[in-house]
């Protein structure tokens, strides 16, 4: 009896030893560190890979994963002779000490052979099933370990220990991955981008974002490529949507989550096996099931499995991932003060409940944020937990990421979305809801409640700073010629350029988080609307109470300007696209010009205080027009970019993913189209004001002709003073505007002056009482000087200018003709001038010219 008691005691001890050996091996394989694991954490992705197919135990689902072969040694060093006792006969060979081939090529060649631990085992129903199974070696080994635990009756004990080890193990794995990430980044050997491996390319970001990124680059002197930036982004260049910090965070999280998925797949397999065994035991014990005969809730089997289940594993894994994300974002979860192991134990020991489990338990956080640009080491751990050991309890992300903060949430979205989709695809049906909740729901709630509101406030402040700065609407240029390319230094006003950059950044965030693209585009639209209001205020400040501004709002003036062929330039981008600014022989164009001139001439006398005399305001309007046009074009491109389909990176054929993460392609959104039209209209209004302003300036100077007596005593060599003043103003303003506006728009601004000058000069004769031949020469000299000033503008149509002003010389030179010659000219050129204009030639007194008494009746006949 004593000997039998000793044997029984030894057998009990042996069962304990076997249990812990099996448990340790199961734990290793759960985290892909075992001899037969399909993936070893720590091996680089460039190593040889062996693709295998792992069949799920109960639902026959095939999971695609990569497996690696490497040298392994069986660590069961117990005596295999001790297993020969009859009570333990079915264990014979299952845990025997073996060594598998250490060569990768041999491992691949032998991958379909029966493993040694099965071939050397005592045959029974389970062994025979394993030998006939087509499952991978990894799955067979996991099934064998679970079978051993069931035969030992230690399923619940194993479940408790697995639950206790889960959180610290996941924490350690994440920490080790971060250390490896740091080493790979500091290594001289180039590393393949995790982003490229996941199929995320720059196609998600439009060309405007690439241009924006080039504009953000600083020169050696510290200034940007577009000059001094008066409004900066709320984030550093590394933290912008395409910045290095974002890509690093995305790569790091992708790497960690890929590893977590590999681990969770093992937990799904083991969880299914344990729950299946538990269900069989319950059937044998006549334990009641649910009404439909299935084990639908986690609480049904958790006591039998010691609390271990797929749901529990996913909850803890997502909890660790959430804390990792919180550390990257420098956010403090409200539950962070509680020890992680305490949380795990609380979840593991939760009393069974027939009601639906609250899958979000332990995953609800409130957040506190610290400065995103300050490193964690300088914060003393305040970004994560209070206390001197805060950094030790974290994951060490500060060493892997150059910057941390709330804006890295954008780079978290796609990795978490992929992670959730993969998790959902491998979850057993009864846990399908768990796959939908958790990490993605947590991140989306964080983005909605914290990130987007904070972003709106930050960018609103930046926009306000950009447009309220005194220098924001101050034209600046360092060249003498206009350049249409923004990269080459197009002189867009700094306030508008900064706002446009911020709007492009907003688009970058929208591309990174397509689910929130609508809200982010609305943010950008709000900023652009506010900027438009500021532009209109600057416009009104320059034109308020000015006659040109009031005239363009008149219906008759607006109608005539719309009829003007020069109006084409308002929609053209180059002179090549523009037709002649008034055809030389187009009677309708000349008639329209004359009618427009008469409307303006009726406003005489033009007063100086009603004109824009400040050249800086004149230049501001020109620069503002070009800047508004640039932003309008940018808005249209932004609108088109928001409509590009955002496809899921995993499976484009999955309708579920398409419904959540794609946008329907259509025309540019109406609100953005309207906003672009408002920008363009204000740009056109600036040009119209400038065109009418120069025409009024022409009348203002030439109207002095009516007050001057052209009875010259001697031939003058210079034009009249008012013509000299006008030509000087033309050349000065043209030179000042040259760097700020395209030539085709300068043509529009100065193009109407020749016609208005000709009509003003011709009409002035009707208000003169007398003029001598020297006076005629003086007026012709004035016309020639004005013509030379206008044709000196590079963009203007020289032929049209000469044609219009030659009429002045032709008209006044008719005063040198005798009456008979004049009447003959009128008869031959009846439509060259109007009847009233011909009448003025006969009425004015010209010394030396004799007009018959009935000469005035010639035009009436």
């Amino acid at each position: 009896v004593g000997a039998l008691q000793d044997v029984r005691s030894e057998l009990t001890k042996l069962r304990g030893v076997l249990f812990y050996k099996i448990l340790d091996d199961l734990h290793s394989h759960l985290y892909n560190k075992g001899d037969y694991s399909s993936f070893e954490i720590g091996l680089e992705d460039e190593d040889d890979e062996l693709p295998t197919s792992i069949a799920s135990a109960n639902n026959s689902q095939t999971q695609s994963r990569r497996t690696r072969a490497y040298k392994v040694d069986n660590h069961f060093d117990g005596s295999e002779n001790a297993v020969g006792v009859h009570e333990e006969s079915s264990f014979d060979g299952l845990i025997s000490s073996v060594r598998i081939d250490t060569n990768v090529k041999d491992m691949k060649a032998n991958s379909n052979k029966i493993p040694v631990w099965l071939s050397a085992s005592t045959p029974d129903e389970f062994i025979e099933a394993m030998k006939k199974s087509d499952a991978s070696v990894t799955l067979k080994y996991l099934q064998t370990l679970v079978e051993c635990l069931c035969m030992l009756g230690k399923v619940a004990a194993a479940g408790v220990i697995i639950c206790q080890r889960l959180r610290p193990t996941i924490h350690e794995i994440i920490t080790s991955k971060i250390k490896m990430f740091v080493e790979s980044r500091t290594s001289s050997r180039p590393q393949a981008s995790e982003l490229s491996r996941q199929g995320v390319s720059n196609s998600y970001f439009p060309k405007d974002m690439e241009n924006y990124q080039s504009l953000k680059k600083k020169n050696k002197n510290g200034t940007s490529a577009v000059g001094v930036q008066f409004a900066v982004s709320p984030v550093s260049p590394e933290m912008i949507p395409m910045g290095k910090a974002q890509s690093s965070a995305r790569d790091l999280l992708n790497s960690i989550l890929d590893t977590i998925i590999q681990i969770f797949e093992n937990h799904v397999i083991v969880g299914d096996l344990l729950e299946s065994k538990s269900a069989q035991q319950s059937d044998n014990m006549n334990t009641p099931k649910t009404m439909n005969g299935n084990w639908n809730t986690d609480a049904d089997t958790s006591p039998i499995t010691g609390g271990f289940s797929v749901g529990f594993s996913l909850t803890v894994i997502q909890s660790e991932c959430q804390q990792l994300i919180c550390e990257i974002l420098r956010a403090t979860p409200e539950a962070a003060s509680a020890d992680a192991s305490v949380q795990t134990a609380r979840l593991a020991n939760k009393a069974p409940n027939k009601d639906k489990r609250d899958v979000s338990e332990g995953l609800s956080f409130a957040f506190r944020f610290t400065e995103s640009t300050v490193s964690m080491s300088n914060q003393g751990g305040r970004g994560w937990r209070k206390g001197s050991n805060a950094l030790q309890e974290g994951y060490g992300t500060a060493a892997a990421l150059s910057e941390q903060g709330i804006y890295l949430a954008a780079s978290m979205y796609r990795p978490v979305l992929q992670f959730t989709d993969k998790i959902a695809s491998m979850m057993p049906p009864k846990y399908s809801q768990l796959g939908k909740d958790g990490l993605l729901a947590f991140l989306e709630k964080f983005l909605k409640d914290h990130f987007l509101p904070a972003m709106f406030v930050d960018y609103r402040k930046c926009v306000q700073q950009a447009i309220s700065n005194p220098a924001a609407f101050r034209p600046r240029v360092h060249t003498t010629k206009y350049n249409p390319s923004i990269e080459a230094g197009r002189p867009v006003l700094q306030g508008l350029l900064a706002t446009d950059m911020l709007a492009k950044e907003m688009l970058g965030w929208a591309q990174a988080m397509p689910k929130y693209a609508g809200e982010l585009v609305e943010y950008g639209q709000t900023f652009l609307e506010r900027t438009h209001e500021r532009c209109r205020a600057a416009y009104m400040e320059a034109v308020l109470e000015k006659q040109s501004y009031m005239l363009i709002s008149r219906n008759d003036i607006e109608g005539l300007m719309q009829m003007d062929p020069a109006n084409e330039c308002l929609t053209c981008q180059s002179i090549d696209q523009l037709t002649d600014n008034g055809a030389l022989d187009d009677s309708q164009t000349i008639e329209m010009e004359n009618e427009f001139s008469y409307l303006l001439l009726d406003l005489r006398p033009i007063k100086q205080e009603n004109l824009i005399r400040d050249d800086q305001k004149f230049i501001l309007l020109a620069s503002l027009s070009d800047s508004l046009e640039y932003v309008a074009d940018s808005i249209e491109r932004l609108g088109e970019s928001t409509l590009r389909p955002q496809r899921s990176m995993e499976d484009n054929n999955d309708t579920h993913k398409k419904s959540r993460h794609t946008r329907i392609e259509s025309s540019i959104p109406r609100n953005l189209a309207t906003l672009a039209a408002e920008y363009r209209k204000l740009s056109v209004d600036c040009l119209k004001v400038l065109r009418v302003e120069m025409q009024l300036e022409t009348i203002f100077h030439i109207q002095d002709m009516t007050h001057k007596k052209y009875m010259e005593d001697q031939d003058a060599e210079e034009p009249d003073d008012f013509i000299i003043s006008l030509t000087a103003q033309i050349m000065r303003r043209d030179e000042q505007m040259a760097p700020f506006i395209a030539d085709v728009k300068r043509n529009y601004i100065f193009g109407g002056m020749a016609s208005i000058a000709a009509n003003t000069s011709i009409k002035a004769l009707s208000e003169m009482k007398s003029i001598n031949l020297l006076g005629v020469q003086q007026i012709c000299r004035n016309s020639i000087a004005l013509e030379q000033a206008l044709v000196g503008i590079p963009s203007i149509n020289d032929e049209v200018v000469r044609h219009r002003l030659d009429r002045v010389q032709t008209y006044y030179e008719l005063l040198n003709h005798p009456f008979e010659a004049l009447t003959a000219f009128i008869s031959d050129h009846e439509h060259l001038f109007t009847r009233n204009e011909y009448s003025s030639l006969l009425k004015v007194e010209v010394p030396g010219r004799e007009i018959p008494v009935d000469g005035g009746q010639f035009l009436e006949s």
Side-chain angles (χ1 to χ4, degrees):
V1 173
L4 290 176
Q5 290 177 343
D6 292 341
V7 171
R8 188 179 186 87
S9 176
E10 290 297 324
L11 288 176
T12 301
K13 293 179 181 179
L14 178 59
R15 289 175 64 89
V17 171
L18 291 174
F19 168 69
Y20 282 105
K21 287 182 179 292
I22 293 171
L23 181 62
D24 288 343
D25 210 23
L26 178 60
H27 181 268
S28 297
H29 283 79
L30 274 173
Y31 300 98
N32 293 313
K33 295 181 179 180
D35 296 344
Y36 300 99
S37 294
S38 61
F39 178 81
E40 182 185 21
I41 296 175
L43 288 182
E44 298 180 5
D45 290 340
E46 290 79 9
D47 294 341
D48 293 334
E49 297 179 351
L50 177 63
T52 62
S53 178
I54 299 179
S56 181
N58 294 319
N59 55 21
S60 299
Q61 295 178 348
T62 301
Q63 302 291 342
S64 175
R65 62 189 299 180
R66 294 174 293 181
T67 181
R68 302 172 187 277
Y70 49 89
K71 181 178 179 179
V72 293
D73 295 325
N74 189 291
H75 59 269
F76 289 133
D77 52 1
S79 173
E80 60 182 9
N81 294 328
V83 191
V85 183
H86 177 73
E87 183 180 356
E88 311 293 338
S89 61
S90 60
F91 283 81
D92 187 23
L94 291 182
I95 54 170
S96 60
S97 179
V98 297
R99 290 179 180 273
I100 64 173
D101 198 323
T102 59
N103 186 276
V104 172
K105 185 181 296 184
D106 293 342
M107 182 67 177
K108 294 180 180 180
N110 297 328
S111 59
N112 294 326
K113 295 183 179 180
I114 299 177
V116 177
W117 83 83
L118 289 179
S119 61
S121 302
T122 301
D124 62 6
E125 184 179 352
F126 173 80
I127 298 299
E128 293 302 320
M130 286 293 98
K131 290 180 179 181
K132 296 177 182 179
S133 174
D134 293 331
S136 65
V137 174
T138 303
L139 181 54
K140 289 181 179 180
Y141 196 68
L142 288 174
Q143 289 175 306
T144 301
L145 293 176
V146 171
E147 182 71 13
C148 293
L149 290 175
C150 292
M151 296 176 71
L152 287 171
K154 294 288 188 178
V155 171
V160 171
I161 298 176
I162 291 174
C163 290
Q164 292 173 349
R165 294 181 179 181
L166 178 57
R167 186 180 292 273
T169 305
I170 294 295
H171 188 98
E172 180 185 357
I173 289 172
I174 293 175
T175 303
S176 65
K177 290 293 293 184
I178 293 173
K179 291 180 180 178
M180 290 174 57
F181 185 85
V182 174
E183 293 174 359
S184 67
R185 287 302 175 99
T186 57
S187 174
S188 58
R189 185 168 66 89
Q191 300 293 322
S193 172
E194 194 76 19
L195 183 61
S196 298
R197 265 200 311 276
Q198 292 298 327
V200 181
S201 66
N202 286 338
S203 62
Y204 284 100
F205 300 93
K207 187 175 182 181
D208 273 1
M209 283 303 299
E210 298 174 7
N211 295 339
Y212 158 75
Q213 195 174 28
S214 67
L215 292 175
K216 291 280 285 186
K217 293 179 180 178
K218 303 292 182 178
N219 298 328
K220 292 182 179 179
N221 60 4
T223 60
S224 68
V226 292
V228 180
Q229 253 185 282
F230 297 97
V232 296
S233 168
V235 296
S236 66
E238 287 74 18
M239 290 283 280
I240 63 174
M242 295 180 66
K244 293 181 179 179
Q246 296 289 343
S247 60
S248 294
R250 186 165 47 243
D251 290 355
L252 175 61
L253 192 59
N254 268 325
S255 175
I256 291 173
L257 293 182
D258 281 350
T259 300
I260 294 298
I261 288 172
Q262 296 282 346
I263 292 171
F264 181 68
E265 186 177 359
N266 293 334
H267 282 72
V268 171
I269 293 173
V270 174
D272 275 354
L273 291 171
L274 288 178
E275 292 182 19
S276 176
K277 292 294 182 181
S278 300
Q280 292 176 7
Q281 293 178 10
S282 298
D283 285 341
N284 295 333
M285 298 171 59
N286 296 322
T287 303
K289 294 183 180 180
T290 55
M291 292 181 63
N292 58 5
N294 296 322
W295 299 95
N296 291 323
T297 63
D298 190 33
D300 290 327
T301 58
S302 57
I304 302 176
T305 60
F308 177 75
S309 67
V310 174
F312 173 81
S313 296
L314 181 60
T315 300
V316 174
I317 286 174
Q318 292 196 123
S319 175
E320 282 295 318
C321 291
Q322 285 174 344
Q323 293 187 57
L324 169 66
I325 292 175
C326 286
E327 180 175 299
I328 295 175
L329 302 180
R330 303 184 68 76
T332 303
E334 63 183 6
S337 58
D339 186 80
S341 61
V342 174
Q343 297 183 44
T344 303
R346 177 171 57 83
L347 289 173
N349 297 327
K350 183 179 179 183
N353 192 340
K354 292 297 181 181
D355 297 332
K356 181 179 178 181
R357 167 174 288 202
D358 182 7
V359 296
S360 64
E361 181 176 353
L363 310 180
S364 176
F365 296 93
F367 300 94
R368 179 178 75 249
F369 303 102
T370 55
E371 182 61 38
S372 64
T373 57
V374 181
S375 65
M376 180 173 286
S377 59
N378 294 332
Q379 290 295 310
R382 287 179 292 159
W384 182 238
R385 296 188 189 178
K386 297 180 179 180
S388 59
N389 61 343
L391 289 180
Q392 297 176 357
E393 295 179 356
Y395 301 90
T397 56
L401 303 176
S402 58
E403 295 193 45
Q404 294 177 289
I406 187 174
Y407 276 89
L408 288 179
S411 61
M412 306 287 104
Y413 181 77
R414 290 187 184 276
V416 170
L417 179 61
Q418 295 175 34
F419 172 81
T420 302
D421 288 340
K422 291 177 182 178
I423 289 294
S425 68
M426 67 176 63
M427 289 290 288
K430 64 180 178 180
Y431 294 116
S432 59
Q433 186 61 37
L434 283 176
K436 298 176 183 178
D437 297 325
L439 194 58
L440 182 61
F442 152 80
L443 184 60
E444 289 181 343
K445 185 176 188 300
F446 170 78
L447 292 173
K448 183 73 174 178
D449 296 345
H450 298 278
F451 178 57
L452 295 180
M455 174 183 286
F456 179 78
V457 172
D458 290 346
Y459 275 84
R460 182 177 59 186
K461 290 179 180 178
C462 289
V463 171
Q464 184 63 30
Q465 179 185 358
I467 61 180
S468 63
N469 192 294
F473 288 85
R474 183 182 303 158
R476 295 185 177 217
V477 73
H478 302 290
T479 61
T480 59
K481 185 178 180 181
Y482 175 81
N483 195 315
S485 170
I486 188 67
E487 294 80 15
R490 182 175 177 177
V492 178
L493 291 170
Q494 295 296 324
L496 275 78
L497 182 61
T499 302
D500 182 66
M501 286 182 172
L502 294 173
K504 287 185 172 69
E505 272 192 14
M506 197 62 66
L507 175 62
W509 299 122
Q511 297 289 345
M513 302 173 292
K515 180 175 182 178
Y516 305 98
E519 294 178 63
L520 292 169
V521 170
E522 287 181 4
Y523 289 172
Q525 181 182 342
T526 301
F527 304 148
L528 290 168
E529 289 173 350
R530 178 68 184 90
T531 303
H532 181 269
E533 293 173 2
R534 179 65 180 86
C535 290
R536 175 159 287 280
Y539 165 78
M540 292 302 301
E541 184 179 352
V543 302
L544 190 62
E545 298 182 354
K546 302 304 178 183
Q547 202 163 10
S548 56
Y549 164 69
M550 292 183 285
L551 283 174
I552 66 170
S553 61
R554 283 175 44 173
N555 293 332
D556 53 349
I557 298 292
E558 174 66 19
L560 289 173
M561 295 186 76
Q562 290 292 336
M563 294 171 57
D564 194 340
N567 200 58
E568 294 180 22
C569 82
L570 301 180
T571 57
C572 296
Q573 300 299 320
S574 66
I575 296 179
D576 296 336
Q577 298 175 316
L578 186 62
T579 59
D580 287 342
N581 185 7
L584 300 182
D585 57 351
D586 188 347
S587 58
Q588 292 183 349
T589 299
I590 295 176
E591 182 180 355
M592 183 276 302
E593 290 179 351
N594 291 338
E595 185 177 354
F596 190 81
S597 299
Y598 298 151
L599 285 175
L600 296 185
L601 289 172
D602 289 342
L603 301 174
R604 292 179 302 168
I606 304 297
K607 297 181 180 180
Q608 185 171 359
E609 59 267 22
N610 294 332
L611 300 174
I612 303 175
R613 304 301 296 174
D614 187 352
D615 285 347
Q616 291 303 314
K617 289 185 178 180
F618 197 89
I619 303 307
L620 170 62
L621 289 173
S623 179
L624 182 60
S625 174
D626 184 70
S627 300
L628 286 164
E629 182 182 15
Y630 168 78
V631 177
D633 293 338
S634 180
I635 292 173
E636 290 178 350
R637 289 193 298 270
L638 290 178
E640 293 171 357
S641 298
T642 60
L643 298 168
R644 296 176 183 176
Q646 301 297 323
R647 296 185 178 274
S648 174
M649 291 174 290
E650 287 299 314
D651 186 358
N652 291 336
N653 295 323
D654 190 332
T655 56
H656 170 64
K657 296 174 188 176
K658 281 187 175 181
S659 63
R660 285 194 300 167
H661 311 298
T662 62
R663 293 176 61 85
I664 299 176
E665 191 170 8
S666 61
S667 60
I668 179 174
R670 181 177 300 178
N671 50 1
L672 288 179
T674 302
L675 184 59
E678 290 177 355
Y679 268 85
R680 211 173 293 281
K681 182 180 183 305
L682 186 56
S683 172
V684 170
D685 286 347
C686 291
L687 293 177
K688 288 182 176 179
V689 164
L690 294 177
R691 181 179 174 89
V692 174
E693 185 68 27
M694 290 310 300
Q695 291 175 330
L696 293 177
E697 285 280 1
T698 303
I699 297 175
F700 170 75
H701 286 84
I702 297 180
Q703 70 185 2
D704 287 349
M705 289 179 63
T706 59
H707 304 299
K708 182 178 179 179
K709 295 181 180 180
Y710 280 94
M711 301 296 293
E712 306 291 344
D713 295 334
Q714 59 183 3
D715 188 10
E717 297 181 357
E718 297 292 333
D720 286 325
D721 291 342
F722 58 83
I723 292 296
I724 294 176
S725 175
L726 177 59
T727 56
Q729 185 188 63
I730 291 172
M731 291 184 290
R732 183 180 68 254
R733 287 186 170 178
D734 175 61
E735 181 180 358
Q736 291 174 339
M737 280 198 303
F740 294 99
I741 197 167
D743 289 348
V744 66
K745 302 302 170 59
R746 286 160 63 199
N747 182 23
Y748 178 79
I749 293 171
F750 294 104
M753 293 183 65
S755 177
I756 202 73
N759 286 313
T760 304
S761 300
I762 292 173
K763 188 174 180 59
L765 183 64
S766 65
E767 300 174 7
M768 294 181 188
K769 294 182 179 180
S770 60
I771 183 172
N772 63 10
L773 298 181
L774 292 178
V776 171
Q777 293 180 8
Q778 184 67 28
I779 291 174
C780 291
R781 186 175 292 109
N782 291 346
S783 179
I784 293 172
L786 183 58
E787 177 184 316
Q788 291 175 342
L790 288 175
V791 297
I793 300 173
S795 61
I796 209 162
N797 191 321
D798 298 352
E799 293 186 13
V800 172
V801 171
R802 292 191 177 95
H803 181 269
R804 300 297 188 263
L805 291 176
D806 283 349
R807 293 182 72 248
V808 178
Q809 298 183 56
T810 302
Y811 182 73
Y812 276 90
E813 286 174 352
L814 289 175
L815 296 173
N816 297 330
H817 290 30
F819 174 75
E820 293 77 8
L822 177 60
T823 55
F825 181 89
I826 293 174
S827 299
D828 294 338
H829 303 85
E830 182 179 354
H831 301 292
L832 182 59
F833 298 99
T834 65
R835 182 177 294 272
N836 289 336
E837 290 170 349
Y838 278 127
S839 178
S840 297
L841 290 173
L842 296 175
K843 290 180 181 180
V844 68
E845 180 181 347
V846 180
R849 187 185 69 171
E850 295 183 1
I851 301 293
V853 178
D854 58 348
Q857 300 176 357
F858 168 77
L859 295 176
E860 298 177 1
S861 59

